[in-house]
Amino acid sequence: MAKQTYLALDTEMVWDEHLYEAHRSIDQKSHRHAVAVKKIMAASVFEFSIDTEGRIETGTLASWTEHDWGDERAVIEQLFDFLRAHSETPVLTFGGLATDVPVLLLGSMAHGLALPPQLVDQPGRRGPRPHLDLALQLKGGGRTWSHLSQVLLRMGVPDELVSAKPGVAQPSSAAGWKSLRDHVELDCLLLALAKIAWLVAQGFDGLRFQAAAIGLVAGFIRRRPEHAMVPILADYSVELQSEIADHFEIGCRVRLMST
């Protein structure tokens, strides 16, 4: 049965103080938050699919950090190799066109790496988009941008999961790098949840948020049973199941009253 597959992508970056000071020596008005002084220290991808009846299937959950691979170049190489191996699958980001993609492009230029097909600029491109920026889709033709954390809270995602969303500093211990890996992987799951909610709003046939979210969370936990957020994710899944049961019970009562 036909299905749509996405690669939810998230990266974690760190300010490079040497680059910042070099920029400052050239331009004293150089902004600290300039994209050019950011470097990639971790990345993650979560694969998920939706078939024509709204059923969810989860695939690979992959992540790479400097701690495991040595440096920025190695992290970017691993990410790009993964994306090339899934070249027919579109990449999904939140605000990626403004941040993730430019920093990855700068990293590619710095290290002499070729971008994967999903991230190559293709003026006049026809056919399916290889990169979907959910932040841009939410903005539409308006002027208002929403932060992913705001969107998730509006969707009813538990505060404990959303509070773990903001960026983190570069770790200084193995335990810190483990937390960073958990962080970037969780961000991919949260992005996938937001995409599902957006598709439901667009009228995707057969797709129901609670059931789809349960599938995403279950797939994530199966692949990362040691993840720090598993207890909270499990509670969230139970909450979603209760919502489905409540809706079913209300529906049954309405039908009985109408007969």
Side-chain angles (χ1 to χ4, degrees), residues 70-141:
D71 56 19
E72 180 192 48
R73 177 192 175 102
V75 171
I76 294 177
E77 276 187 310
Q78 294 302 313
L79 171 62
F80 285 2
D81 285 348
F82 182 93
L83 295 182
R84 270 189 284 270
H86 299 77
S87 60
E88 300 302 316
T89 306
V91 164
L92 174 68
T93 64
F94 198 97
L97 287 174
T99 307
D100 300 85
V101 174
V103 176
L104 288 169
L105 173 58
L106 288 167
S108 300
M109 295 168 64
H111 303 301
L113 301 173
L115 291 166
Q118 298 97 322
L119 304 184
V120 173
D121 188 17
Q122 301 173 8
R125 176 192 59 247
R126 295 181 180 180
R129 296 183 62 85
H131 172 216
L132 304 171
D133 188 331
L134 183 56
L136 191 59
Q137 290 180 310
L138 286 171
K139 176 178 175 292

Coordinates of all heavy atoms in Angstrom, one line a residue, residues 70-141:
G70 N 34.5 12.0 16.7 CA 35.8 12.8 16.7 C 35.7 14.2 16.5 O 36.3 15.0 17.2
D71 N 35.0 14.7 15.4 CA 34.9 16.1 15.1 C 33.7 16.4 14.2 O 32.9 15.5 13.9 CB 36.2 16.6 14.4 CG 36.5 15.8 13.1 OD1 35.6 15.1 12.6 OD2 37.6 15.8 12.7
E72 N 33.5 17.7 13.9 CA 32.4 18.1 13.1 C 32.3 17.4 11.8 O 31.3 17.0 11.3 CB 32.4 19.6 13.0 CG 31.2 20.1 12.1 CD 31.4 21.6 11.7 OE1 32.5 21.9 11.2 OE2 30.4 22.3 11.8
R73 N 33.5 17.3 11.1 CA 33.5 16.7 9.8 C 32.9 15.3 9.8 O 32.1 14.9 9.0 CB 34.9 16.7 9.3 CG 35.1 16.0 7.9 CD 36.5 15.7 7.5 NE 36.5 14.9 6.3 CZ 36.8 15.4 5.1 NH1 37.1 16.7 4.9 NH2 36.8 14.6 4.0
A74 N 33.3 14.5 10.8 CA 32.9 13.1 10.9 C 31.4 13.0 11.1 O 30.7 12.2 10.5 CB 33.7 12.4 11.9
V75 N 30.9 13.9 12.0 CA 29.4 13.9 12.3 C 28.7 14.2 11.0 O 27.7 13.6 10.6 CB 29.1 14.9 13.4 CG1 27.6 15.1 13.5 CG2 29.7 14.5 14.7
I76 N 29.1 15.3 10.3 CA 28.4 15.7 9.0 C 28.5 14.6 8.0 O 27.6 14.3 7.3 CB 29.0 17.0 8.5 CG1 28.7 18.1 9.5 CG2 28.4 17.3 7.1 CD1 29.3 19.5 9.0
E77 N 29.7 13.9 7.9 CA 29.9 12.8 6.9 C 28.9 11.7 7.2 O 28.3 11.2 6.3 CB 31.3 12.3 7.0 CG 32.3 13.1 6.2 CD 33.7 12.4 6.1 OE1 34.2 12.0 7.2 OE2 34.2 12.2 5.0
Q78 N 28.8 11.3 8.4 CA 27.9 10.2 8.8 C 26.4 10.6 8.5 O 25.7 9.8 7.9 CB 28.0 9.9 10.3 CG 29.3 9.3 10.7 CD 29.7 8.0 9.9 OE1 28.9 7.1 9.8 NE2 30.9 8.0 9.4
L79 N 26.0 11.8 8.8 CA 24.7 12.3 8.5 C 24.4 12.2 7.0 O 23.4 11.7 6.5 CB 24.5 13.7 9.0 CG 23.2 14.4 8.6 CD1 21.9 13.6 9.1 CD2 23.2 15.8 9.1
F80 N 25.4 12.8 6.2 CA 25.2 12.9 4.8 C 25.2 11.5 4.1 O 24.4 11.2 3.2 CB 26.3 13.7 4.1 CG 26.2 15.2 4.4 CD1 25.2 15.7 5.1 CD2 27.1 16.0 3.8 CE1 25.0 17.1 5.3 CE2 27.0 17.4 4.0 CZ 26.0 17.9 4.7
D81 N 26.0 10.6 4.6 CA 26.0 9.2 4.1 C 24.6 8.6 4.3 O 24.1 7.8 3.5 CB 27.0 8.3 4.8 CG 28.4 8.7 4.2 OD1 28.5 9.3 3.2 OD2 29.4 8.2 4.9
F82 N 24.0 8.8 5.5 CA 22.7 8.3 5.8 C 21.7 8.8 4.9 O 20.8 8.1 4.3 CB 22.3 8.6 7.3 CG 21.0 8.0 7.7 CD1 20.9 6.8 8.3 CD2 19.8 8.7 7.4 CE1 19.7 6.2 8.6 CE2 18.6 8.2 7.8 CZ 18.5 6.9 8.4
L83 N 21.7 10.2 4.7 CA 20.7 10.8 3.8 C 20.9 10.3 2.3 O 19.9 10.1 1.6 CB 20.9 12.3 3.9 CG 20.5 13.0 5.2 CD1 20.7 14.5 5.1 CD2 19.1 12.6 5.7
R84 N 22.1 10.1 1.9 CA 22.3 9.6 0.5 C 21.8 8.2 0.4 O 21.3 7.9 -0.7 CB 23.8 9.7 0.2 CG 24.2 11.0 -0.5 CD 25.6 11.0 -1.0 NE 26.6 11.0 0.1 CZ 27.1 12.1 0.5 NH1 26.8 13.3 0.0 NH2 28.0 12.1 1.5
A85 N 21.9 7.4 1.4 CA 21.4 6.1 1.4 C 19.8 6.0 1.3 O 19.2 5.0 1.0 CB 21.8 5.3 2.6
H86 N 19.2 7.2 1.7 CA 17.7 7.3 1.6 C 17.4 8.5 0.7 O 16.5 9.4 1.1 CB 17.2 7.6 3.0 CG 17.5 6.5 4.0 ND1 18.7 6.3 4.6 CD2 16.7 5.5 4.5 CE1 18.6 5.2 5.4 NE2 17.4 4.7 5.3
S87 N 18.1 8.6 -0.4 CA 18.0 9.8 -1.3 C 16.6 10.1 -1.8 O 16.3 11.2 -2.2 CB 18.9 9.7 -2.4 OG 18.6 8.5 -3.2
E88 N 15.7 9.1 -1.8 CA 14.3 9.3 -2.4 C 13.4 9.7 -1.3 O 12.2 10.0 -1.5 CB 13.8 7.9 -3.0 CG 14.6 7.4 -4.1 CD 14.8 8.4 -5.2 OE1 13.7 9.0 -5.6 OE2 15.9 8.6 -5.8
T89 N 13.9 9.8 0.0 CA 13.0 10.2 1.1 C 13.2 11.6 1.5 O 14.4 12.1 1.7 CB 13.3 9.3 2.3 OG1 13.2 7.9 1.9 CG2 12.3 9.6 3.4
P90 N 12.2 12.5 1.5 CA 12.4 13.9 1.9 C 12.8 14.0 3.4 O 12.4 13.3 4.2 CB 11.0 14.5 1.7 CG 10.0 13.3 1.8 CD 10.8 12.1 1.2
V91 N 13.6 15.1 3.6 CA 14.0 15.5 4.9 C 13.0 16.4 5.5 O 12.5 17.3 4.8 CB 15.4 16.1 4.8 CG1 15.7 16.8 6.1 CG2 16.5 15.0 4.6
L92 N 12.7 16.3 6.8 CA 11.8 17.2 7.5 C 12.6 17.9 8.6 O 13.2 17.2 9.4 CB 10.7 16.3 8.1 CG 9.7 17.1 9.0 CD1 8.8 18.0 8.2 CD2 8.8 16.0 9.7
T93 N 12.5 19.2 8.6 CA 13.1 20.0 9.7 C 12.1 21.0 10.2 O 11.0 21.2 9.7 CB 14.3 20.7 9.2 OG1 13.9 21.7 8.2 CG2 15.4 19.8 8.6
F94 N 12.5 21.7 11.3 CA 11.7 22.8 11.8 C 12.6 24.0 11.8 O 13.5 24.1 12.7 CB 11.1 22.5 13.2 CG 10.0 23.4 13.6 CD1 8.6 23.0 13.4 CD2 10.2 24.7 14.0 CE1 7.6 23.8 13.7 CE2 9.1 25.5 14.3 CZ 7.8 25.1 14.2
G95 N 12.4 24.9 10.9 CA 13.3 26.1 10.8 C 14.6 25.7 10.1 O 15.6 26.4 10.2
G96 N 14.7 24.5 9.5 CA 15.9 24.1 8.9 C 16.5 25.0 7.8 O 17.7 25.1 7.6
L97 N 15.6 25.6 7.0 CA 16.0 26.5 6.0 C 16.8 27.7 6.5 O 17.6 28.3 5.8 CB 14.8 26.9 5.1 CG 14.3 25.8 4.2 CD1 13.0 26.4 3.5 CD2 15.3 25.4 3.1
A98 N 16.5 28.1 7.7 CA 17.1 29.2 8.3 C 18.4 28.9 9.1 O 19.3 29.7 9.2 CB 16.1 30.0 9.2
T99 N 18.4 27.7 9.6 CA 19.5 27.4 10.5 C 20.3 26.1 10.2 O 21.5 26.1 9.8 CB 19.0 27.2 12.0 OG1 18.3 28.4 12.3 CG2 20.2 27.1 12.9
D100 N 19.6 24.9 10.2 CA 20.3 23.7 10.0 C 21.0 23.6 8.7 O 22.2 23.2 8.6 CB 19.3 22.5 10.2 CG 18.7 22.5 11.5 OD1 17.7 23.2 11.7 OD2 19.1 21.7 12.4
V101 N 20.2 23.9 7.6 CA 20.8 23.7 6.3 C 21.9 24.7 6.0 O 23.0 24.3 5.5 CB 19.7 23.9 5.2 CG1 20.3 23.9 3.8 CG2 18.7 22.8 5.3
P102 N 21.8 26.0 6.4 CA 23.0 26.9 6.2 C 24.2 26.4 6.9 O 25.4 26.5 6.4 CB 22.5 28.2 6.7 CG 21.0 28.2 6.5 CD 20.6 26.7 6.8
V103 N 24.1 25.9 8.2 CA 25.2 25.5 9.0 C 25.8 24.2 8.4 O 27.1 24.1 8.3 CB 24.9 25.3 10.4 CG1 26.1 24.8 11.2 CG2 24.4 26.6 11.1
L104 N 25.0 23.3 7.9 CA 25.5 22.1 7.2 C 26.2 22.5 5.9 O 27.2 21.9 5.6 CB 24.3 21.2 7.0 CG 23.8 20.4 8.2 CD1 22.5 19.7 7.9 CD2 24.8 19.4 8.8
L105 N 25.6 23.5 5.2 CA 26.3 23.9 4.0 C 27.7 24.5 4.3 O 28.7 24.2 3.6 CB 25.4 24.9 3.3 CG 26.0 25.6 2.1 CD1 26.4 24.6 1.0 CD2 25.1 26.7 1.5
L106 N 27.8 25.3 5.3 CA 29.0 25.9 5.7 C 30.0 24.8 6.1 O 31.2 24.9 5.8 CB 28.9 26.9 6.8 CG 28.2 28.2 6.4 CD1 27.7 29.0 7.7 CD2 29.1 29.1 5.6
G107 N 29.5 23.8 6.8 CA 30.4 22.7 7.2 C 30.9 21.9 6.0 O 32.0 21.5 5.9
S108 N 30.0 21.8 5.0 CA 30.4 21.1 3.8 C 31.5 21.9 3.1 O 32.4 21.3 2.6 CB 29.1 21.0 2.8 OG 28.1 20.2 3.4
M109 N 31.3 23.2 3.0 CA 32.3 24.0 2.3 C 33.7 24.0 3.1 O 34.7 23.9 2.5 CB 31.8 25.4 2.2 CG 30.6 25.6 1.3 SD 29.8 27.2 1.5 CE 31.1 28.3 0.9
A110 N 33.6 24.0 4.4 CA 34.8 24.0 5.2 C 35.6 22.7 5.1 O 36.8 22.6 5.2 CB 34.5 24.3 6.7
H111 N 34.8 21.6 5.0 CA 35.5 20.2 5.0 C 35.5 19.6 3.6 O 35.9 18.4 3.5 CB 34.7 19.3 6.0 CG 34.6 19.9 7.4 ND1 35.8 20.2 8.1 CD2 33.6 20.2 8.2 CE1 35.4 20.7 9.3 NE2 34.1 20.7 9.4
G112 N 35.1 20.3 2.6 CA 35.1 19.7 1.3 C 34.2 18.5 1.1 O 34.6 17.5 0.4
L113 N 33.0 18.6 1.6 CA 32.0 17.5 1.5 C 30.9 17.9 0.6 O 30.5 19.0 0.5 CB 31.4 17.2 2.9 CG 32.5 16.8 4.0 CD1 31.8 16.7 5.3 CD2 33.1 15.5 3.6
A114 N 30.4 16.9 -0.2 CA 29.3 17.1 -1.1 C 28.0 17.0 -0.3 O 27.8 16.0 0.5 CB 29.3 16.2 -2.2
L115 N 27.0 17.9 -0.5 CA 25.7 17.8 0.1 C 24.9 16.6 -0.4 O 25.1 16.2 -1.6 CB 24.9 19.0 -0.1 CG 25.4 20.3 0.6 CD1 24.7 21.5 -0.1 CD2 25.1 20.3 2.1
P116 N 24.1 16.0 0.4 CA 23.2 14.9 -0.1 C 22.1 15.5 -0.9 O 21.9 16.7 -0.8 CB 22.6 14.3 1.2 CG 22.7 15.4 2.2 CD 23.9 16.2 1.9
P117 N 21.4 14.7 -1.8 CA 20.4 15.3 -2.7 C 19.3 16.1 -2.0 O 18.9 17.1 -2.6 CB 19.8 14.0 -3.3 CG 20.9 13.0 -3.2 CD 21.6 13.3 -1.9
Q118 N 18.9 15.7 -0.8 CA 17.8 16.4 -0.2 C 18.2 17.9 0.2 O 17.3 18.7 0.4 CB 17.4 15.7 1.1 CG 16.8 14.3 0.8 CD 17.9 13.2 1.1 OE1 19.1 13.5 0.7 NE2 17.5 12.1 1.6
L119 N 19.5 18.2 0.3 CA 19.9 19.5 0.8 C 20.5 20.3 -0.3 O 20.9 21.5 0.0 CB 20.9 19.3 2.0 CG 20.4 18.5 3.2 CD1 21.4 18.5 4.3 CD2 19.1 19.0 3.7
V120 N 20.6 19.8 -1.5 CA 21.2 20.6 -2.6 C 20.2 21.6 -3.1 O 19.0 21.3 -3.3 CB 21.6 19.6 -3.8 CG1 22.1 20.5 -5.0 CG2 22.8 18.7 -3.3
D121 N 20.7 22.8 -3.3 CA 19.8 23.9 -3.8 C 19.5 23.6 -5.3 O 20.4 23.4 -6.1 CB 20.5 25.2 -3.7 CG 19.6 26.4 -4.1 OD1 18.4 26.2 -4.1 OD2 20.1 27.5 -4.4
Q122 N 18.2 23.5 -5.7 CA 17.8 23.2 -7.0 C 16.9 24.2 -7.6 O 15.6 24.0 -7.6 CB 17.2 21.8 -7.0 CG 18.1 20.7 -6.5 CD 17.3 19.3 -6.4 OE1 16.2 19.2 -6.8 NE2 18.0 18.4 -5.8
P123 N 17.4 25.3 -8.1 CA 16.5 26.3 -8.7 C 15.7 25.8 -9.8 O 16.2 25.0 -10.6 CB 17.5 27.4 -9.2 CG 18.7 27.2 -8.4 CD 18.8 25.7 -8.1
G124 N 14.4 26.1 -9.8 CA 13.5 25.6 -10.9 C 13.1 24.1 -10.7 O 12.6 23.5 -11.7
R125 N 13.4 23.5 -9.6 CA 13.1 22.1 -9.4 C 11.7 21.8 -9.6 O 10.8 22.6 -9.2 CB 13.5 21.7 -7.9 CG 13.2 20.3 -7.6 CD 13.3 20.1 -6.1 NE 12.4 20.9 -5.3 CZ 12.8 21.9 -4.5 NH1 14.1 22.1 -4.4 NH2 11.9 22.7 -3.9
R126 N 11.4 20.7 -10.2 CA 10.0 20.2 -10.3 C 9.8 18.9 -9.6 O 10.8 18.1 -9.4 CB 9.7 20.0 -11.8 CG 9.7 21.3 -12.6 CD 9.3 21.0 -14.1 NE 9.3 22.3 -14.8 CZ 9.0 22.4 -16.1 NH1 8.7 21.3 -16.8 NH2 9.0 23.5 -16.7
G127 N 8.6 18.6 -9.2 CA 8.3 17.3 -8.5 C 8.3 17.5 -7.0 O 8.4 18.6 -6.5
P128 N 8.3 16.4 -6.3 CA 8.2 16.4 -4.8 C 9.4 17.2 -4.2 O 10.6 17.1 -4.7 CB 8.3 14.9 -4.4 CG 7.8 14.2 -5.6 CD 8.3 15.0 -6.8
R129 N 9.2 17.9 -3.2 CA 10.3 18.7 -2.5 C 11.1 17.7 -1.7 O 10.6 16.9 -0.9 CB 9.7 19.7 -1.6 CG 8.9 20.8 -2.3 CD 8.5 21.9 -1.4 NE 9.6 22.6 -0.7 CZ 10.3 23.6 -1.3 NH1 9.9 24.0 -2.5 NH2 11.3 24.2 -0.6
P130 N 12.5 17.8 -1.8 CA 13.3 16.9 -1.1 C 13.5 17.3 0.4 O 14.1 16.5 1.2 CB 14.6 16.9 -1.9 CG 14.7 18.3 -2.5 CD 13.2 18.6 -2.8
H131 N 13.2 18.6 0.7 CA 13.3 19.1 2.0 C 12.1 19.9 2.4 O 11.7 20.8 1.7 CB 14.6 20.0 2.2 CG 14.6 20.7 3.5 ND1 15.1 21.9 3.6 CD2 14.3 20.3 4.7 CE1 15.0 22.3 4.9 NE2 14.5 21.3 5.6
L132 N 11.4 19.5 3.5 CA 10.2 20.1 4.0 C 10.5 20.8 5.3 O 11.0 20.2 6.3 CB 9.1 19.1 4.2 CG 8.8 18.2 3.0 CD1 7.8 17.1 3.4 CD2 8.1 19.1 1.9
D133 N 10.3 22.1 5.4 CA 10.5 22.9 6.6 C 9.1 23.1 7.2 O 8.3 23.9 6.7 CB 11.2 24.2 6.3 CG 11.6 25.0 7.5 OD1 11.0 24.8 8.6 OD2 12.6 25.7 7.4
L134 N 8.8 22.4 8.3 CA 7.5 22.5 8.9 C 7.3 23.9 9.5 O 6.1 24.4 9.4 CB 7.4 21.5 10.1 CG 6.0 21.4 10.8 CD1 4.9 21.2 9.7 CD2 6.0 20.4 11.8
A135 N 8.3 24.6 9.9 CA 8.1 26.0 10.4 C 7.6 26.9 9.3 O 6.7 27.7 9.5 CB 9.4 26.6 11.0
L136 N 8.1 26.7 8.1 CA 7.7 27.4 6.9 C 6.2 27.0 6.5 O 5.4 27.9 6.1 CB 8.6 27.2 5.8 CG 8.5 28.2 4.5 CD1 8.6 29.6 5.0 CD2 9.5 27.8 3.5
Q137 N 5.9 25.7 6.6 CA 4.6 25.3 6.3 C 3.6 25.9 7.3 O 2.4 26.2 6.9 CB 4.5 23.8 6.3 CG 5.3 23.1 5.2 CD 5.2 21.6 5.3 OE1 5.5 21.0 6.3 NE2 4.9 20.9 4.1
L138 N 3.9 26.0 8.5 CA 3.0 26.6 9.5 C 2.8 28.1 9.3 O 1.7 28.6 9.4 CB 3.6 26.3 10.9 CG 3.4 24.9 11.5 CD1 4.2 24.8 12.8 CD2 2.0 24.6 11.7
K139 N 3.9 28.7 8.9 CA 3.8 30.2 8.6 C 2.9 30.5 7.4 O 2.1 31.4 7.4 CB 5.2 30.7 8.4 CG 5.3 32.2 8.0 CD 6.7 32.6 7.8 CE 6.8 34.1 7.3 NZ 6.3 34.2 5.9
G140 N 3.0 29.6 6.4 CA 2.2 29.8 5.2 C 2.5 31.2 4.6 O 3.7 31.6 4.5
G141 N 1.5 31.9 4.2 CA 1.6 33.2 3.6 C 1.6 34.3 4.6 O 1.7 35.5 4.2

